[in-house]
Amino acid sequence: MRHCQTLNRVLAGFLLALCLSVIVTLGSQAQEPAAEAGPQPYEMVRSLQSLQEQIAQGNSHAIAAQRELLSKMDAAFVDLPAGTWEEPRNARAAVVHLLSGGHPRVMRNLLTLDPLPNIDKRLMEASLAYIEGREEDMAVLLEEIDPLDLPSGLGGHVALVKAAPYIRTDPARAMELLQVASLLMPGTLVEEAALRREVFVAGMMADVDRFRVLSIRYLRRFRSSVYAGDFRRRFALALDTLGFVKSEDKFALLNPVLHEFDADSRRGLYLRLARSALLAGHLNVARKATAEAMSLAVEGTKEHEILKIYRAATRLDPETISANRDLLWSVDKRMLSEQDLAVLDGVYVVLNSVRHFPEPPANVIGEFNVASSMKDPEQRAWVTSDMELAEVILRRTDKVLAELGEQHDR
């Protein structure tokens, strides 16, 4: 395994060096106009795509190299003679260049040529419309163009951008186009981007099975991608909409996916699920998510303190009163946000309701010290912060007890 990783690094370094050599060559040609003709546009695009494949595999240095190569290509493409674009491969390269981050002035210049580059004019105009944010115009221009009828290196890009307007209006159609993009350009940044969007669309469609399959595929193919952070963000948002916290069976479906993440990401996702389940009242799921997160949390961190609260909240029964009391008293409140403190308050309220149901006797922990409600500043001078917290909790107790009383009557 270690030898394979070393080989991959060497190969990535070789490809990066090769692409950088193209950049240097383009730079020297810009300084020496009389020099021998350099690489053709389609050859430059190949170098660009090699860099993008490295970006998809997590090579952050390739981003800077890509930026520099694109800049060199912008200048070179504008200066190339019109006859260059009569070669179909070069004409396609111009569209790919723009959709890969090239400057739109290149395409604007090509659209003024007579004759035009040897490619469907709609593809040129559509790529320019997409880059300029005119998605409606782009959709109209591409409506009759099937990405599968194009060479794969261009068709994948076209399928990816053609899907964009449909994500909100017709998610099923968007999913079809994104699948085509992945099919036409496997292992490339186009497939990486398409998979990220597919996960988002599956979440919108509430398609749990597809969401799980696509997430696992992305993580196994592109977990190191420079853009994996965007995937994790989209994944977390989808968790909130797909209802994984509503039942233990549904939560169990998610576990294999979460175990594809690195430990840090997995801990954060379980923490998010535990909180959502707890606030929604699904205590069995909250208990399981909390246990998973606790096994990954580092003692003494804010996350660990929060998880103590969640753990106590999921086992509010008479048999665990003493253990919960000790656990909650061990929480370092200085590390908590206002929202976390509010959850802690709520747990204390329910804990005392269970302990003293149906009503807490006077002057015990369930009711706290009545002196904490005194308003005179001089009388309150001796009141501790814990007693002030107790006063806040006391104001919330009546509502909780009333609800418990109603359940008891039923």
Side-chain angles (χ1 to χ4, degrees):
M1 182 66 178
R2 184 175 301 171
H3 293 303
C4 291
Q5 292 175 341
T6 302
L7 181 60
N8 288 336
R9 286 196 295 268
V10 171
L11 180 59
F14 171 76
L15 290 172
L16 183 58
L18 181 62
C19 294
L20 288 173
S21 70
V22 173
I23 297 173
V24 172
T25 301
L26 290 172
S28 63
Q29 289 167 357
Q31 296 173 358
E32 301 176 14
E36 184 179 340
Q40 292 291 298
Y42 73 87
E43 295 173 318
M44 301 179 206
V45 164
R46 285 178 185 169
S47 297
L48 177 64
Q49 290 174 330
S50 294
L51 284 174
Q52 291 176 335
E53 287 178 13
Q54 293 181 55
I55 292 171
Q57 297 304 321
N59 187 341
S60 58
H61 298 292
I63 294 180
Q66 175 191 240
R67 190 180 305 116
E68 186 173 354
L69 178 56
L70 282 169
S71 178
K72 297 293 185 181
M73 291 169 70
D74 290 341
F77 281 16
V78 170
D79 292 336
L80 286 170
T84 303
W85 308 106
E86 295 178 13
E87 163 59 56
R89 291 177 296 178
N90 288 338
R92 292 195 295 268
V95 175
V96 173
H97 163 259
L98 181 56
L99 295 178
S100 298
H103 199 288
R105 71 169 179 270
V106 175
M107 188 58 69
R108 293 195 196 102
N109 179 66
L110 294 180
L111 283 167
T112 65
L113 298 180
D114 187 14
L116 287 169
N118 192 2
I119 192 173
D120 191 328
K121 184 181 179 182
R122 291 175 297 175
L123 289 171
M124 300 172 64
E125 293 178 333
S127 63
L128 187 60
Y130 176 75
I131 294 301
E132 292 178 343
R134 295 181 285 112
E135 282 194 348
E136 291 184 4
D137 294 341
M138 183 267 294
V140 172
L141 288 163
L142 294 180
E143 185 175 1
E144 302 300 324
I145 295 179
D146 186 348
L148 290 171
D149 292 336
L150 303 171
S152 60
L154 175 61
H157 282 279
V158 172
L160 183 65
V161 301
K162 189 174 180 177
Y166 293 111
I167 289 178
R168 297 292 180 185
T169 62
D170 188 352
R173 176 61 175 151
M175 184 68 78
E176 292 175 1
L177 288 165
L178 292 170
Q179 289 175 333
V180 169
S182 295
L183 175 67
L184 291 176
M185 298 185 68
T188 66
L189 198 58
V190 167
E191 184 196 10
E192 190 273 348
L195 272 175
R196 272 189 288 125
R197 288 163 175 76
E198 284 182 78
V199 170
F200 174 68
V201 174
M204 290 179 59
M205 298 171 66
D207 190 334
V208 174
D209 288 336
R210 183 174 288 184
F211 174 81
R212 292 169 55 242
V213 170
L214 291 171
S215 296
I216 290 175
R217 183 185 303 170
Y218 180 90
L219 289 165
R220 291 182 178 177
R221 292 179 63 77
F222 301 109
R223 71 169 68 248
S224 300
S225 170
V226 172
Y227 302 109
D230 178 65
F231 165 79
R232 288 191 291 270
R233 181 182 63 81
R234 291 173 184 266
F235 182 89
L237 291 173
L239 293 183
D240 296 336
T241 61
L242 289 175
F244 285 107
V245 301
K246 292 182 179 180
S247 74
E248 294 179 74
D249 290 341
K250 208 168 185 179
F251 179 76
L253 294 175
L254 188 61
N255 267 324
V257 184
L258 294 182
H259 280 273
E260 295 287 340
F261 285 88
D262 61 89
D264 286 343
S265 299
R266 191 159 70 249
R267 182 182 64 251
L269 289 168
Y270 275 122
L271 182 66
R272 184 188 186 108
L273 287 163
R275 185 182 186 89
S276 297
L278 182 61
L279 295 179
H282 303 294
L283 296 187
N284 287 337
V285 174
R287 186 180 300 111
K288 292 184 176 182
T290 298
E292 292 280 2
M294 285 284 277
S295 68
L296 298 166
V298 178
E299 192 168 349
T301 62
K302 178 181 178 180
E303 288 181 340
H304 194 263
E305 299 305 294
I306 293 171
L307 287 166
K308 289 180 183 179
I309 302 172
Y310 295 175
R311 186 177 183 186
T314 60
R315 56 179 194 182
L316 291 171
D317 52 72
E319 291 76 17
T320 60
I321 288 294
S322 296
N324 274 348
R325 178 200 61 199
D326 295 342
L327 184 62
L328 292 174
W329 282 355
S330 72
V331 173
D332 186 349
K333 301 180 184 65
R334 296 170 299 179
M335 303 181 71
L336 304 181
S337 67
E338 289 186 9
Q339 288 182 330
D340 297 325
L341 286 171
V343 175
L344 177 61
D345 288 354
V347 174
Y348 267 123
V349 169
V350 179
L351 178 66
N352 285 295
S353 300
V354 171
R355 184 181 181 187
H356 301 296
F357 185 82
E359 291 185 3
N363 298 317
V364 297
I365 192 171
E367 186 167 309
F368 302 100
N369 195 313
V370 294
S372 63
S373 63
M374 294 185 294
K375 303 300 181 183
D376 188 339
E378 292 184 1
Q379 290 179 303
R380 293 183 62 90
W382 60 277
V383 176
T384 67
S385 58
D386 287 340
M387 295 169 68
E388 291 177 341
L389 176 61
E391 184 179 358
V392 173
I393 298 172
L394 179 60
R395 290 197 296 269
R396 301 181 183 183
T397 303
D398 289 342
K399 180 180 178 181
V400 175
L401 290 176
E403 293 174 352
L404 288 172
E406 291 175 3
Q407 295 175 7
H408 184 263
D409 292 340
R410 290 199 295 268

